[in-house]
Amino acid sequence: MGGGAWTMQKNILKLAILGGKGSPAHKAAVIGDTVGDPFKDTSGPSLNILIKAESVVALLLAAL
């Protein structure tokens, strides 16, 4: 979730909207994107399992 936002920020800054490639803002976005990459890889599968578990519990409680 958050990782995708950091990647998009880096891509927007590359387009010279807020300084372009090599600007301090772009350098900070590259660091944020590096930090965000693990979030993209781990949060999706974790949330998928959580949503499935909540759905099963809700169906079981609704049957009572």
Side-chain angles (χ1 to χ4, degrees), residues 24-62:
H26 181 260
K27 290 177 185 176
V30 169
I31 293 170
D33 182 36
T34 304
V35 170
D37 277 338
F39 286 128
K40 286 188 291 189
D41 297 336
T42 58
S43 67
S46 299
L47 288 175
N48 188 25
I49 293 170
L50 178 66
I51 291 169
K52 285 184 181 182
E54 287 179 349
S55 299
V56 170
V57 169
L59 287 172
L60 288 173
L61 291 176

